[in-house]
Amino acid sequence: MLFRHKALWLSAALFLSPAAGAQPIPVVPATPQPTIPGPGVLDIPPDHQRRYAECMKLARGEPLKALPLAEKWMSEGGGMGARHCVAIAMFQSGKYAQAAAQFEAIARDMGHERPGLRAELWAQAGQAWMEASAADKAAQAQSRALELKTDDPDLWVDRALSYAAMQSWQRAIADFDRAIRLRQDDVEVLVLRAAAWRNARDPGRALADAGRALSIAPDHTEALLERGFAYLARGTRDAANRDFERVLKLVPPNSAAARRAEAGLSGSLPVAPAPATPGAPPPAGGKR
């Protein structure tokens, strides 16, 4: 994979409007911020390999400085290596939609060669579209990746998160199902599917997935939170409170998980916002 293991993310559209006075509670559990792959992604001619490695290093560390240098290299005939470095620098500097378009163009221009690599480029495009708050375009790019690489559970999770951003819960659940079939007993994916079931208003199945996750990792705080919210949705307040209190013993005070547990103890259930609309701009104060 070009991405680090399970490099999942959530756009701002995946956060909930809480009940009055409560802290925001994510629709699905928070996941790590995306990272961008390092050098060695493309077949680079030997005389370009060193320049590609240097360009990629600069793109990850100082993207605003790297971008004009990469664009100059591209104009000088730097080929795929230069184009990929441009895309990475765009992504790292917050030009997500432009980066996504660049990743897609590289994948298309490769023709039918190296389907695995093209899948990774489409996956990168999907990641960039998600950061651009364009979940519909992310899902389209991820679908192209899955056409080329159906046995990658991370790609199924990526598209599921795009569907979750659009509140297309049944499609998200179907993709989480595929991921779990490929990587059974993955705690993080079980927790994500539990959240999707909760948002699909099926707390019974949410409870089952959260319970399965906790049978594998008893102190997994996101699983405890999801089970607590599932209990709360079913009206089993005492059981819910036990899970929320357990979370408060496991996490630092004032952490995001602690605030969510406190909201649960107050009886606040997550309330989903309006679904992400195609091409919606990032929320005020978000990364652009």
Side-chain angles (χ1 to χ4, degrees):
M1 284 290 289
L2 296 184
F3 302 101
R4 63 179 168 80
H5 182 62
K6 276 194 294 215
L8 310 180
W9 67 94
L10 297 177
S11 70
L14 286 182
F15 283 81
L16 298 173
S17 302
Q23 295 293 332
I25 306 170
V27 173
V28 296
T31 50
Q33 289 298 308
T35 57
I36 289 295
V41 172
L42 303 171
D43 286 330
I44 308 297
D47 58 331
H48 285 183
Q49 287 178 2
R50 181 175 178 180
R51 188 168 183 179
Y52 177 65
E54 292 173 349
C55 187
M56 291 290 285
K57 181 179 180 180
L58 190 63
R60 292 194 305 274
E62 299 181 74
L64 293 176
K65 183 177 179 180
L67 185 55
L69 296 176
E71 289 174 333
K72 182 175 183 293
W73 182 29
M74 187 169 68
S75 71
E76 295 170 349
M80 292 291 189
R83 291 173 64 186
H84 191 239
C85 189
V86 166
I88 297 299
M90 285 177 171
F91 184 98
Q92 295 293 82
S93 59
K95 301 177 185 295
Y96 300 123
Q98 293 164 273
Q102 186 70 246
F103 287 131
E104 290 185 353
I106 297 170
R108 289 192 186 96
D109 290 348
M110 290 183 68
H112 297 289
E113 297 179 2
R114 299 192 63 185
L117 177 55
R118 285 187 287 125
E120 302 292 0
L121 288 163
W122 283 110
Q124 285 186 318
Q127 180 175 353
W129 283 125
M130 276 293 281
E131 288 294 319
S133 298
D136 58 323
K137 292 182 178 180
Q140 291 169 15
Q142 290 149 356
S143 294
R144 294 290 298 270
L146 284 164
E147 289 171 3
L148 298 164
K149 199 173 183 182
T150 59
D151 61 348
D152 189 329
D154 291 324
L155 289 178
W156 290 104
V157 172
D158 287 349
R159 193 175 70 172
L161 289 171
S162 297
Y163 286 147
M166 294 184 281
Q167 293 192 36
S168 182
W169 300 115
Q170 293 302 326
R171 287 194 293 177
I173 289 164
D175 279 0
F176 287 136
D177 289 346
R178 292 292 297 266
I180 290 170
R181 283 201 292 271
L182 289 165
R183 192 162 56 214
Q184 295 184 8
D185 295 331
D186 186 303
V187 171
E188 282 74 20
V189 183
L190 285 168
V191 173
L192 289 169
R193 191 172 67 177
W197 280 123
R198 170 171 53 78
N199 283 283
R201 298 186 179 182
D202 193 334
R205 289 185 176 179
L207 194 61
D209 271 346
R212 181 175 164 189
L214 287 165
S215 72
I216 302 164
D219 288 337
H220 194 285
T221 55
E222 293 290 351
L224 285 165
L225 285 166
E226 280 305 319
R227 189 171 70 177
F229 287 127
Y231 277 135
L232 197 58
R234 299 184 77 176
T236 314
R237 189 70 177 270
D238 289 345
N241 287 350
R242 284 194 294 271
D243 281 342
F244 296 138
E245 288 166 358
R246 177 66 178 155
V247 170
L248 291 174
K249 293 177 181 178
L250 292 170
V251 302
N254 298 318
S255 64
R259 292 193 296 271
R260 294 171 64 199
E262 289 163 356
L265 284 169
S266 73
S268 296
L269 273 170
V271 179
T277 54
K287 293 174 72 176
R288 296 181 183 272

